[in-house]
Amino acid sequence: LADAAIGQRWWDHRLDAVRTFEEIMGPSRSMGSGVILDTLEVSALWSDIEAVHAEVSAVLERESERSGCHFSHVYVTGAALYFTFILRDLDDVVVEDRYWRTWRDAMEACRAAGGSVAHHHGMGRLKASFLAEDIGQPAVDLITRIQAALDPAGVLNPGALLASRGRGSAGVDGVS
């Protein structure tokens, strides 16, 4: 059995991110304009966890004012790494450009270290441009055929998985 202190530490800090988001991005915008607080979640097999953590952390440490990571979901084969980071720059426009670059660089670092940009929530609009790299083009082709058969008009959540299908989707390139 794990040491009871581990469980207590989790219990005591399980809502830290919520309080931080409220402080930074809430009505008072305590950190002012030009600040973005966000999270990104990736996953990896146990054999790749250390490398994925190190590579994504390196990007976030280089680009952000502050970052941290914890396992949000743990499985027999691996885990989901949940990173929280704060970016600060001159104003909202400049920090947004930096945000998109940081996201892209973090996703590329994850993939280069053997991780997956998907996690327990799947991919989504922000990561759709990484789908082929993550699961391979044959799997994307299959998903495309299934989606075309079940939703020929492309009206069901367009752009949420396949960035090129339906209305545009926001992604790490900052285009929506």
Side-chain angles (χ1 to χ4, degrees):
L1 291 174
D3 185 331
I6 295 171
Q8 187 61 50
R9 175 160 170 68
W10 172 83
W11 182 260
D12 292 343
H13 295 279
R14 71 192 186 288
L15 300 177
D16 286 358
V18 173
R19 284 189 285 272
T20 302
F21 270 86
E22 288 174 348
E23 176 188 323
I24 295 168
M25 304 299 285
S28 66
R29 292 211 46 163
S30 67
M31 294 184 79
S33 65
V35 177
I36 293 178
L37 168 68
D38 199 9
T39 62
L40 62 88
E41 193 164 14
V42 298
S43 61
L45 298 173
W46 287 117
S47 58
D48 298 318
I49 284 284
E50 287 185 57
V52 169
H53 177 266
E55 295 303 316
V56 174
S57 291
V59 169
L60 296 178
E61 288 168 8
R62 179 181 71 237
E63 293 295 333
S64 67
E65 180 174 299
R66 195 167 118 201
S67 65
C69 179
H70 69 275
F71 290 157
S72 65
H73 293 76
V74 177
Y75 306 100
V76 172
T77 56
L81 293 88
Y82 193 94
F83 293 88
T84 304
F85 61 100
I86 299 172
L87 299 174
R88 183 192 309 261
D89 221 311
L90 299 173
D91 58 38
D92 289 343
V93 173
V94 175
V95 79
E96 184 177 352
D97 290 340
R98 192 159 150 220
Y99 171 78
W100 291 118
R101 185 182 66 249
T102 300
W103 251 91
R104 184 194 65 239
D105 292 353
M107 294 300 105
E108 289 173 356
C110 170
R111 292 294 305 134
S116 171
V117 301
H119 56 89
H120 68 286
H121 289 296
M123 294 294 274
R125 285 181 175 82
L126 200 58
K127 299 177 180 179
S129 63
F130 288 93
L131 184 64
E133 184 179 345
D134 219 52
I135 65 172
Q137 192 59 49
V140 173
D141 294 343
L142 177 60
I143 291 170
T144 302
R145 290 193 305 271
I146 292 169
Q147 193 176 44
L150 298 176
D151 182 22
V155 298
L156 299 174
N157 216 358
L161 182 59
L162 301 172
S164 61
R165 188 163 152 80
R167 295 186 303 268
S169 62
V172 294
D173 58 2
V175 177
S176 53

